[in-house]
Amino acid sequence: FIPFLAFDQIIIEQTDRLKLKNITESDADYVNTAFKLQNLGGGTAKNIDIKVYLDEDENKVLQEKHINILPSNKFYLMPINKKAFEEFEDTIKNNGYTTNMYINIKYFSQISKKQNSITYRV
């Protein structure tokens, strides 16, 4: 049971305001203003560092978060901050489907004791 961390998919809808929805959740407002981090591998991930940044430049950080532990049967909601919302809105206004936003997750596995790193394009 090696942890593998990933974010839930988000549907974005532009009405009078930007509306986000995690596809595996109900319409609860707090879920729809957060990135939902899930532990897909079933193991326990420790010392998780999450960095959301722009343009493949890790110095253009939109937000960062450190989580001590994420057990296999839990998920973590990382609130989407104003800068990330603005990037979503700019992408939609420019008729884009892919933002310039990246998410990097670094974490340790209980079993392997190695640091794993994953980068996602939003």
Side-chain angles (χ1 to χ4, degrees), residues 94-122:
N94 294 321
N95 295 319
Y97 293 96
T98 306
T99 68
N100 291 323
M101 195 179 333
Y102 292 81
I103 299 176
N104 178 265
I105 307 170
K106 292 181 182 174
Y107 63 94
F108 285 91
S109 166
Q110 284 280 89
I111 298 168
S112 69
K113 309 292 186 207
K114 293 181 184 176
Q115 186 178 44
N116 298 299
S117 182
I118 308 164
T119 301
Y120 295 99
R121 175 93 187 253
V122 179

CSV table of all heavy atoms in Angstrom, one decimal, residues 94-122:
chain,number,residue,atom,x,y,z
A,94,ASN,N,-9.9,34.1,-22.0
A,94,ASN,CA,-9.1,34.0,-23.2
A,94,ASN,C,-9.4,32.8,-24.0
A,94,ASN,O,-8.7,32.3,-24.9
A,94,ASN,CB,-7.6,34.0,-22.9
A,94,ASN,CG,-7.2,35.4,-22.3
A,94,ASN,OD1,-7.6,36.4,-22.7
A,94,ASN,ND2,-6.3,35.3,-21.3
A,95,ASN,N,-10.6,32.2,-23.7
A,95,ASN,CA,-11.1,31.0,-24.4
A,95,ASN,C,-10.1,29.8,-24.4
A,95,ASN,O,-10.0,29.0,-25.3
A,95,ASN,CB,-11.5,31.3,-25.9
A,95,ASN,CG,-12.6,32.2,-26.0
A,95,ASN,OD1,-13.6,32.1,-25.2
A,95,ASN,ND2,-12.5,33.2,-26.9
A,96,GLY,N,-9.4,29.7,-23.2
A,96,GLY,CA,-8.5,28.6,-23.1
A,96,GLY,C,-9.0,27.4,-22.3
A,96,GLY,O,-10.1,27.5,-21.7
A,97,TYR,N,-8.4,26.3,-22.5
A,97,TYR,CA,-8.8,25.1,-21.8
A,97,TYR,C,-7.7,24.6,-20.8
A,97,TYR,O,-8.0,23.8,-20.0
A,97,TYR,CB,-9.1,24.0,-22.9
A,97,TYR,CG,-10.3,24.3,-23.7
A,97,TYR,CD1,-10.1,24.8,-25.0
A,97,TYR,CD2,-11.5,24.0,-23.3
A,97,TYR,CE1,-11.2,25.1,-25.7
A,97,TYR,CE2,-12.7,24.3,-24.0
A,97,TYR,CZ,-12.5,24.8,-25.3
A,97,TYR,OH,-13.6,25.1,-26.0
A,98,THR,N,-6.6,25.2,-21.0
A,98,THR,CA,-5.5,24.8,-20.1
A,98,THR,C,-4.9,26.1,-19.5
A,98,THR,O,-4.5,27.0,-20.2
A,98,THR,CB,-4.4,24.0,-20.8
A,98,THR,OG1,-4.9,22.9,-21.5
A,98,THR,CG2,-3.3,23.5,-19.9
A,99,THR,N,-4.8,26.1,-18.1
A,99,THR,CA,-4.2,27.3,-17.5
A,99,THR,C,-2.7,27.2,-17.6
A,99,THR,O,-2.1,26.2,-18.0
A,99,THR,CB,-4.6,27.3,-16.0
A,99,THR,OG1,-4.0,26.2,-15.3
A,99,THR,CG2,-6.1,27.2,-15.8
A,100,ASN,N,-2.1,28.3,-17.1
A,100,ASN,CA,-0.6,28.3,-16.9
A,100,ASN,C,-0.3,27.9,-15.5
A,100,ASN,O,0.8,28.1,-15.0
A,100,ASN,CB,-0.1,29.7,-17.2
A,100,ASN,CG,-0.2,30.1,-18.6
A,100,ASN,OD1,-0.1,29.2,-19.5
A,100,ASN,ND2,-0.6,31.3,-18.9
A,101,MET,N,-1.2,27.2,-14.8
A,101,MET,CA,-1.0,26.8,-13.4
A,101,MET,C,-0.5,25.4,-13.3
A,101,MET,O,-0.9,24.5,-14.1
A,101,MET,CB,-2.3,26.9,-12.7
A,101,MET,CG,-2.2,26.9,-11.2
A,101,MET,SD,-3.8,27.1,-10.3
A,101,MET,CE,-4.9,28.0,-11.4
A,102,TYR,N,0.4,25.1,-12.4
A,102,TYR,CA,0.9,23.8,-12.1
A,102,TYR,C,0.8,23.5,-10.6
A,102,TYR,O,0.8,24.5,-9.8
A,102,TYR,CB,2.4,23.7,-12.5
A,102,TYR,CG,2.7,23.8,-14.0
A,102,TYR,CD1,2.7,25.0,-14.6
A,102,TYR,CD2,2.9,22.7,-14.7
A,102,TYR,CE1,2.9,25.1,-16.0
A,102,TYR,CE2,3.1,22.7,-16.1
A,102,TYR,CZ,3.1,24.0,-16.7
A,102,TYR,OH,3.3,24.0,-18.1
A,103,ILE,N,0.7,22.3,-10.3
A,103,ILE,CA,0.6,21.9,-8.9
A,103,ILE,C,1.7,20.8,-8.7
A,103,ILE,O,1.8,19.8,-9.4
A,103,ILE,CB,-0.7,21.3,-8.5
A,103,ILE,CG1,-1.8,22.3,-8.6
A,103,ILE,CG2,-0.7,20.8,-7.0
A,103,ILE,CD1,-3.2,21.8,-8.3
A,104,ASN,N,2.6,21.1,-7.7
A,104,ASN,CA,3.6,20.1,-7.4
A,104,ASN,C,3.4,19.6,-6.0
A,104,ASN,O,3.1,20.3,-5.1
A,104,ASN,CB,5.0,20.7,-7.4
A,104,ASN,CG,6.1,19.7,-7.1
A,104,ASN,OD1,6.5,19.7,-5.9
A,104,ASN,ND2,6.5,18.9,-8.0
A,105,ILE,N,3.4,18.2,-5.9
A,105,ILE,CA,3.2,17.6,-4.6
A,105,ILE,C,4.5,16.8,-4.3
A,105,ILE,O,4.9,15.9,-5.1
A,105,ILE,CB,2.0,16.6,-4.6
A,105,ILE,CG1,0.8,17.3,-5.1
A,105,ILE,CG2,1.8,16.0,-3.2
A,105,ILE,CD1,-0.4,16.3,-5.4
A,106,LYS,N,5.0,17.0,-3.1
A,106,LYS,CA,6.2,16.2,-2.6
A,106,LYS,C,5.7,15.6,-1.3
A,106,LYS,O,5.2,16.2,-0.4
A,106,LYS,CB,7.4,17.1,-2.4
A,106,LYS,CG,8.0,17.6,-3.7
A,106,LYS,CD,9.2,18.5,-3.4
A,106,LYS,CE,9.7,19.0,-4.7
A,106,LYS,NZ,10.8,20.0,-4.6
A,107,TYR,N,6.0,14.3,-1.2
A,107,TYR,CA,5.6,13.6,0.0
A,107,TYR,C,6.5,12.4,0.3
A,107,TYR,O,7.2,11.9,-0.6
A,107,TYR,CB,4.1,13.1,-0.1
A,107,TYR,CG,3.8,12.1,-1.2
A,107,TYR,CD1,3.8,10.8,-0.9
A,107,TYR,CD2,3.6,12.6,-2.5
A,107,TYR,CE1,3.6,9.9,-1.9
A,107,TYR,CE2,3.4,11.7,-3.5
A,107,TYR,CZ,3.4,10.3,-3.2
A,107,TYR,OH,3.1,9.4,-4.2
A,108,PHE,N,6.4,11.9,1.5
A,108,PHE,CA,7.2,10.7,1.9
A,108,PHE,C,6.2,9.5,2.1
A,108,PHE,O,5.1,9.7,2.7
A,108,PHE,CB,8.0,10.9,3.2
A,108,PHE,CG,9.2,11.7,3.0
A,108,PHE,CD1,9.1,13.1,3.1
A,108,PHE,CD2,10.4,11.1,2.7
A,108,PHE,CE1,10.3,13.9,2.9
A,108,PHE,CE2,11.5,11.9,2.5
A,108,PHE,CZ,11.5,13.3,2.6
A,109,SER,N,6.6,8.3,1.7
A,109,SER,CA,5.8,7.1,2.0
A,109,SER,C,6.3,6.5,3.3
A,109,SER,O,7.5,6.5,3.6
A,109,SER,CB,6.1,6.2,0.8
A,109,SER,OG,5.6,4.9,1.1
A,110,GLN,N,5.3,5.9,4.0
A,110,GLN,CA,5.7,5.2,5.3
A,110,GLN,C,6.5,4.0,5.0
A,110,GLN,O,7.4,3.6,5.8
A,110,GLN,CB,4.4,4.7,5.9
A,110,GLN,CG,3.6,5.8,6.6
A,110,GLN,CD,4.1,6.1,8.0
A,110,GLN,OE1,5.0,6.9,8.1
A,110,GLN,NE2,3.6,5.4,9.0
A,111,ILE,N,6.3,3.4,3.8
A,111,ILE,CA,7.0,2.1,3.5
A,111,ILE,C,8.4,2.4,2.9
A,111,ILE,O,9.4,1.9,3.4
A,111,ILE,CB,6.2,1.3,2.5
A,111,ILE,CG1,4.8,0.9,3.2
A,111,ILE,CG2,6.9,0.0,2.1
A,111,ILE,CD1,3.8,0.3,2.3
A,112,SER,N,8.5,3.1,1.8
A,112,SER,CA,9.7,3.3,1.1
A,112,SER,C,10.7,4.3,1.8
A,112,SER,O,11.9,4.2,1.5
A,112,SER,CB,9.5,3.7,-0.3
A,112,SER,OG,9.0,5.0,-0.4
A,113,LYS,N,10.2,5.2,2.6
A,113,LYS,CA,10.9,6.2,3.2
A,113,LYS,C,11.6,7.2,2.2
A,113,LYS,O,12.5,7.9,2.5
A,113,LYS,CB,12.0,5.6,4.1
A,113,LYS,CG,11.6,4.6,5.1
A,113,LYS,CD,10.7,5.2,6.2
A,113,LYS,CE,10.4,4.1,7.2
A,113,LYS,NZ,9.2,4.3,7.9
A,114,LYS,N,11.1,7.1,0.9
A,114,LYS,CA,11.7,8.0,-0.1
A,114,LYS,C,10.7,9.1,-0.3
A,114,LYS,O,9.5,9.0,-0.2
A,114,LYS,CB,11.8,7.2,-1.4
A,114,LYS,CG,12.9,6.2,-1.4
A,114,LYS,CD,13.0,5.5,-2.7
A,114,LYS,CE,14.0,4.4,-2.7
A,114,LYS,NZ,14.0,3.6,-4.0
A,115,GLN,N,11.3,10.2,-0.8
A,115,GLN,CA,10.4,11.4,-1.1
A,115,GLN,C,9.9,11.2,-2.6
A,115,GLN,O,10.7,10.9,-3.5
A,115,GLN,CB,11.1,12.7,-1.0
A,115,GLN,CG,10.2,13.9,-1.3
A,115,GLN,CD,10.9,15.2,-1.1
A,115,GLN,OE1,12.0,15.4,-1.6
A,115,GLN,NE2,10.2,16.1,-0.4
A,116,ASN,N,8.6,11.3,-2.8
A,116,ASN,CA,8.1,11.2,-4.1
A,116,ASN,C,7.7,12.6,-4.5
A,116,ASN,O,7.3,13.5,-3.7
A,116,ASN,CB,6.8,10.3,-4.1
A,116,ASN,CG,7.2,8.9,-3.7
A,116,ASN,OD1,7.9,8.3,-4.4
A,116,ASN,ND2,6.6,8.4,-2.6
A,117,SER,N,7.7,12.9,-5.8
A,117,SER,CA,7.3,14.2,-6.3
A,117,SER,C,6.5,14.0,-7.6
A,117,SER,O,6.8,13.2,-8.5
A,117,SER,CB,8.6,15.0,-6.7
A,117,SER,OG,8.2,16.3,-7.1
A,118,ILE,N,5.4,14.7,-7.7
A,118,ILE,CA,4.5,14.7,-8.8
A,118,ILE,C,4.1,16.1,-9.2
A,118,ILE,O,3.9,16.9,-8.3
A,118,ILE,CB,3.1,14.0,-8.4
A,118,ILE,CG1,3.4,12.6,-7.8
A,118,ILE,CG2,2.2,13.8,-9.6
A,118,ILE,CD1,2.2,12.1,-7.1
A,119,THR,N,4.1,16.4,-10.5
A,119,THR,CA,3.7,17.7,-10.9
A,119,THR,C,2.5,17.5,-11.9
A,119,THR,O,2.6,16.7,-12.8
A,119,THR,CB,4.9,18.5,-11.6
A,119,THR,OG1,5.9,18.6,-10.7
A,119,THR,CG2,4.4,19.8,-12.1
A,120,TYR,N,1.5,18.3,-11.7
A,120,TYR,CA,0.3,18.3,-12.5
A,120,TYR,C,0.1,19.6,-13.2
A,120,TYR,O,0.4,20.7,-12.6
A,120,TYR,CB,-1.0,18.0,-11.7
A,120,TYR,CG,-1.0,16.7,-11.0
A,120,TYR,CD1,-0.7,16.5,-9.7
A,120,TYR,CD2,-1.4,15.6,-11.7
A,120,TYR,CE1,-0.7,15.3,-9.0
A,120,TYR,CE2,-1.5,14.3,-11.1
A,120,TYR,CZ,-1.1,14.2,-9.8
A,120,TYR,OH,-1.2,13.0,-9.1
A,121,ARG,N,-0.3,19.6,-14.5
A,121,ARG,CA,-0.7,20.8,-15.2
A,121,ARG,C,-2.2,21.0,-15.0
A,121,ARG,O,-3.0,20.0,-15.2
A,121,ARG,CB,-0.4,20.6,-16.7
A,121,ARG,CG,-0.8,21.8,-17.5
A,121,ARG,CD,0.2,22.8,-17.7
A,121,ARG,NE,-0.2,24.0,-18.4
A,121,ARG,CZ,0.1,24.3,-19.6
A,121,ARG,NH1,0.9,23.5,-20.3
A,121,ARG,NH2,-0.3,25.4,-20.1
A,122,VAL,N,-2.6,22.1,-14.6
A,122,VAL,CA,-4.0,22.4,-14.3
A,122,VAL,C,-4.7,22.8,-15.6
A,122,VAL,O,-4.3,23.6,-16.3
A,122,VAL,CB,-4.2,23.5,-13.2
A,122,VAL,CG1,-5.7,23.8,-12.9
A,122,VAL,CG2,-3.5,23.0,-11.9
